[in-house]
Amino acid sequence: MKNSNIQWIGEIPDDWEVTKIGQLYQLRNQKVSDRDYPPLSVTMNGIVPQMEHVAKTNAHDDRKLVKKGDFAINSRSDRRGSCGISKYDGSVSLINTVLQPLNEMNPNYYDWLFHTVQFADEFYKWGHGIVDDLWSTNWQDMKNISVCVPPLSTQTSIATYLDSKCSQIDGLIADINKQIETLNELKKSTITEAVTKGLNKNAKLKDSGIQWIGRIPEGWKVTKIGFIADTCSGGTPPSSNADFFDGDIKWVCSYDLHEKGIIDTEKHLTNIGASMIAGKIQMPNSILIAMYGGDGTIGNSGFLLVKARTNQAVCSIHFDETIIIPLYAFFFIRFLRPFWMYYAQGSRKDPNINQEIVKNMKILTPPLAEQRAIATYLDTKCSEFDSIISDKQKQISTLEAYKKSLIYEYVTGKNVPPVIDN
């Protein structure tokens, strides 16, 4: 091994060389129209055909040509890691740098090298900008970044090995993600079964009068949320005044609510900030629902454990505890999540519900003793599901960290692919 004199690479094998990216690639900077060349997107997963739902501009002629085999990388720091070799002829946004390989090389080896976290850090270290969001690295800087150059046969063996090994790791990750999806579906079905049919499998059933609920136990009642609960919403103080924020009063926004029912917020208001917004302080045992969110947040909910204020996109529900157990109501609200969209107003892109829709939503009220039993059962079962899912997610994190380490070790020569006997 020898010192490469490249800080982010460190030592490399004796027979490896060092060069600058400008000696390996030349810039392709031809403007084209996406009417002539299909629009492509440069993503973390490489270069792919642009999806129909992606936000588009009217600047059809302000695109860059990409040819099959070119390497493209997004120049902006907020798109870190978005790069890859194109499998298509097409066009990409002007914020991307498009490169054509020079001389004899294995582009797949450099594709792996350029996907390392260490290269991404180095790439953006060479950039320029006023703020982090607009920080970018252009070709004039990129071409001067030093990289290592293994012998061509070594480039090929490294690329081939990483293609195979990382494909195996990706397969394991995909399998675990499928297991997580299955566990989440089992958790949803467990909640649905418990809050609509109860825990007694032999209970006599009757028609609920609600098509999407069907039959329910005979002793259960159907009512509207507004008949047994108070609802409230909040607001947002002017962001220009720092005196309104970072106080002692927790402040929950719609995007702090998640499908699995967790309230995830570190935002706080001061007393004066809280006095600037609508609504009142919400008490513990209230249930919060996201009323807006074309991105999938609509209908997400959370169980409030402490006093808090909310923004205008959150509906807080405080139930009459002589009629319904808050934890049971919380699980019923989670069951309702897919149905809010049926009542949502506005466009498909930006749907919303309001307090009136929440008040008119039907809810089932079993006898209090059954509610307690259902709430206790679901609290235990969902905790079990969540624990298993958490373990699966840790497995994925471990595999992803291993994959990153593996790629870096091989593309910088710290490790060599095993010799395969024919």
Side-chain angles (χ1 to χ4, degrees):
M1 302 292 285
K2 65 183 179 184
N3 189 352
S4 68
N5 294 314
I6 306 172
Q7 186 176 3
W8 63 276
I9 289 179
E11 289 191 333
I12 57 176
D14 281 332
D15 60 342
W16 289 29
E17 297 176 0
V18 171
T19 191
K20 296 184 184 300
I21 291 178
Q23 299 298 313
L24 298 170
Y25 293 90
Q26 66 181 5
L27 182 68
R28 190 190 294 280
N29 204 24
Q30 181 180 341
K31 265 194 177 185
V32 294
S33 170
D34 61 9
R35 297 183 181 93
D36 301 320
Y37 292 90
L40 305 173
S41 295
V42 181
T43 73
M44 297 277 289
N45 296 316
I47 302 175
V48 297
Q50 193 176 78
M51 304 294 287
E52 285 298 322
H53 67 272
V54 171
K56 300 176 178 65
T57 70
N58 292 322
H60 295 286
D61 297 325
D62 286 336
R63 307 277 293 175
K64 280 184 181 177
L65 175 66
V66 174
K67 302 290 283 184
K68 184 177 180 180
D70 284 352
F71 180 85
I73 183 167
N74 195 300
S75 64
R76 284 179 47 170
S77 61
D78 59 346
R79 300 292 189 272
R80 182 182 293 263
S82 296
C83 61
I85 298 173
S86 181
K87 298 177 182 178
Y88 318 93
D89 290 346
S91 61
V92 296
S93 166
L94 295 179
I95 63 174
N96 297 292
T97 300
V98 181
L99 305 176
Q100 183 179 4
L102 291 170
N103 306 319
E104 195 174 31
M105 64 183 291
N106 188 311
N108 290 330
Y109 163 78
Y110 287 100
D111 189 32
W112 283 115
L113 179 69
F114 295 153
H115 270 95
T116 61
V117 173
Q118 291 81 0
F119 175 77
D121 291 342
E122 181 71 10
F123 180 73
Y124 291 111
K125 192 170 77 175
W126 285 73
H128 307 276
I130 301 172
V131 293
D132 288 345
D133 290 2
L134 300 177
W135 191 271
S136 62
T137 307
N138 60 35
W139 172 241
Q140 293 306 311
D141 294 309
M142 181 182 179
K143 70 180 182 181
N144 291 314
I145 298 175
S146 295
V147 293
C148 47
V149 184
L152 183 59
S153 60
T154 304
Q155 293 181 31
T156 300
S157 64
I158 290 172
T160 301
Y161 177 75
L162 289 177
D163 284 345
S164 173
K165 194 68 176 178
C166 291
S167 178
Q168 292 174 18
I169 296 171
D170 290 341
L172 290 172
I173 291 173
D175 286 343
I176 297 172
N177 273 320
K178 286 180 182 177
Q179 293 171 29
I180 291 173
E181 288 178 16
T182 300
L183 287 164
N184 277 319
E185 289 303 315
L186 282 170
K187 183 168 69 169
K188 288 177 185 177
S189 64
T190 300
I191 293 172
T192 297
E193 181 71 15
V195 300
T196 61
K197 300 294 184 286
L199 304 180
N200 182 3
K201 304 298 182 184
N202 299 316
K204 292 183 178 180
L205 302 178
K206 65 179 181 181
D207 185 13
S208 68
I210 306 171
Q211 185 177 4
W212 40 271
I213 288 182
R215 292 166 65 79
I216 61 175
E218 280 189 346
W220 292 26
K221 297 177 181 178
V222 180
T223 188
K224 292 181 179 181
I225 288 176
F227 291 167
I228 57 173
D230 293 324
T231 65
C232 183
S233 188
T236 301
S239 58
S240 57
N241 194 328
D243 292 338
F244 297 157
F245 300 91
D246 298 325
D248 298 322
I249 302 171
K250 187 178 282 287
W251 183 52
V252 183
C253 300
S254 60
Y255 47 80
D256 297 320
L257 305 173
H258 299 279
E259 184 178 354
K260 56 186 179 181
I262 291 175
I263 297 175
D264 180 21
T265 183
E266 295 298 327
K267 295 184 290 296
H268 292 78
L269 300 177
T270 60
N271 286 326
I272 189 171
S275 69
M276 297 291 295
I277 64 176
K280 58 186 179 181
I281 194 159
Q282 302 306 304
M283 304 304 291
N285 293 337
S286 295
I287 295 152
L288 308 183
I289 300 178
M291 296 190 292
Y292 310 157
D295 58 354
T297 57
I298 187 171
N300 285 347
S301 59
F303 191 84
L304 195 61
L305 298 175
V306 296
K307 292 180 180 180
R309 298 297 296 269
T310 70
N311 77 345
Q312 64 277 9
V314 174
C315 177
S316 172
I317 310 172
H318 195 78
F319 285 94
D320 181 343
E321 295 185 30
T322 65
I323 298 174
I324 194 164
I325 305 298
L327 188 57
Y328 163 80
F330 168 63
F331 283 114
F332 194 91
I333 294 294
R334 288 178 68 179
F335 154 70
L336 286 175
R337 186 181 184 278
F339 302 103
W340 294 113
M341 286 299 295
Y342 179 80
Y343 298 98
Q345 301 171 344
S347 66
R348 276 188 174 185
K349 186 177 180 181
D350 192 25
N352 66 84
I353 56 177
N354 55 42
Q355 288 189 62
E356 286 305 309
I357 291 173
V358 173
K359 288 178 181 178
N360 285 311
M361 180 62 85
K362 300 286 183 62
I363 189 169
L364 303 181
T365 57
L368 286 174
E370 277 195 74
Q371 291 183 37
R372 287 193 189 93
I374 291 169
T376 301
Y377 168 77
L378 287 178
D379 198 31
T380 300
K381 292 296 292 183
C382 288
S383 293
E384 291 172 359
F385 280 121
D386 290 341
S387 178
I388 298 170
I389 290 169
S390 178
D391 287 341
K392 299 288 182 185
Q393 290 168 335
K394 288 176 184 175
Q395 291 175 25
I396 290 176
S397 295
T398 300
L399 285 168
E400 288 175 338
Y402 170 63
K403 179 181 171 183
K404 290 177 182 177
S405 175
L406 182 82
I407 294 169
Y408 180 76
E409 290 288 312
Y410 280 89
V411 296
T412 60
K414 311 296 187 296
N415 212 334
V416 294
V419 175
I420 301 174
D421 295 326
N422 294 325

